[in-house]
Amino acid sequence: MADQGGTDPRETHRKIIRRSMEDEFFRQELLRNPKSTLERELGAPLPEGVDVRALEDTADTVHLVLP
């Protein structure tokens, strides 16, 4: 799922989320090492200093991410 130049970041985000819901191994990779997993999927490194966090909702914790 290498990212192509000009791809809408929201669509890329949706694809990553969808894949994490369908592929448990990929989901666990994202949770363990989100930055390198995302870089691999995008086919490019993220800028130095960018922090990537992957969080998983539970029965008693829901994450709301605001831009």
Side-chain angles (χ1 to χ4, degrees):
M1 178 169 123
D3 194 19
Q4 303 300 316
T7 300
D8 179 357
R10 292 171 296 192
E11 181 58 28
T12 300
H13 182 260
R14 283 189 288 270
K15 287 179 182 178
I16 295 290
I17 297 300
R18 189 177 321 120
R19 181 164 175 207
S20 76
M21 294 172 70
E22 297 170 351
D23 182 341
E24 184 61 27
F25 180 78
F26 179 70
R27 182 182 195 88
Q28 293 307 313
E29 282 185 301
L30 277 173
L31 290 168
R32 276 191 305 274
N33 199 344
K35 186 171 183 177
S36 67
T37 304
L38 188 57
E39 288 174 328
R40 187 189 71 229
E41 290 302 302
L42 296 175
L46 295 172
E48 189 74 27
V50 169
D51 183 31
V52 179
R53 297 180 188 194
L55 305 171
E56 187 172 35
D57 289 344
T58 65
D60 59 350
T61 303
V62 176
H63 299 89
L64 178 61
V65 179
L66 305 175

